[in-house]
Amino acid sequence: MYIGEVSKITGASIKAIRFYEELGLLAQVGRSGRYRVYNDTHVLLIRLILQAKAQGFKLAEIKRAISYQNEKEPWFHVLKLIEQKQQSLSEEISRKLEQRDTLSKIYSEIETCLSVNPECQLEDTA
């Protein structure tokens, strides 16, 4: 199938598909004259790339995972990448929760100050 049909099937833009091929994410794309010819494996890979990107994976990470496709058990590498992403997300969530708690504390302090004294001034910390 040609690139336009692959684009419609996967939802990836033609430009993105060409970029994925340029990066080596789509191997062995055939040719029919000047046209690229994609197969069902390419469609599957493009869908996986889009799903991985939606979950926060970078193209370089996706390429590393796909590069193991010639090995006997590439899924162990994919599982490792997923574990690393889960850990990274957990750490980011913790940082964001700490930020939210700090902002809530500051908000509460300002609100209390204003309720006691409407002309409440911020302290000069310099």
Side-chain angles (χ1 to χ4, degrees):
M1 68 193 89
Y2 295 126
I3 198 166
E5 186 177 352
V6 173
S7 175
K8 287 178 187 171
I9 291 170
T10 63
S13 70
I14 290 173
K15 184 176 179 179
I17 294 169
R18 287 184 180 137
F19 186 61
Y20 300 155
E21 185 180 353
E22 183 182 313
L23 290 177
L25 295 169
L26 302 175
Q28 302 170 352
V29 176
R31 296 261 181 199
S32 176
R34 295 180 14 192
Y35 299 100
R36 293 172 173 96
V37 180
Y38 299 88
N39 58 37
D40 291 338
T41 301
H42 295 121
V43 170
L44 176 65
L45 279 173
I46 292 167
R47 285 181 172 153
L48 287 172
I49 291 166
L50 295 174
Q51 285 179 332
K53 284 181 60 187
Q55 295 306 312
F57 286 93
K58 294 178 172 58
L59 290 176
E61 293 172 314
I62 298 167
K63 184 175 181 177
R64 272 198 312 269
I66 290 174
S67 71
Y68 292 113
Q69 66 186 356
N70 295 329
E71 292 189 14
K72 187 176 179 181
E73 298 179 2
W75 291 114
F76 288 114
H77 299 285
V78 173
L79 290 174
K80 185 68 173 167
L81 284 173
I82 291 171
E83 287 174 358
Q84 290 170 350
K85 182 59 73 176
Q86 288 174 322
Q87 180 62 35
S88 172
L89 288 171
S90 292
E91 291 168 4
E92 185 177 339
I93 289 168
S94 291
R95 285 192 305 274
K96 294 295 182 186
L97 289 172
E98 286 177 22
Q99 285 178 318
R100 185 192 66 186
D101 292 345
T102 299
L103 287 171
S104 293
K105 181 180 174 190
I106 293 168
Y107 183 94
S108 179
E109 289 172 359
I110 293 171
E111 192 174 49
T112 300
C113 181
L114 288 172
S115 69
V116 172
N117 178 5
E119 296 179 21
C120 178
Q121 298 291 316
L122 295 176
E123 292 182 20
D124 187 10
T125 59

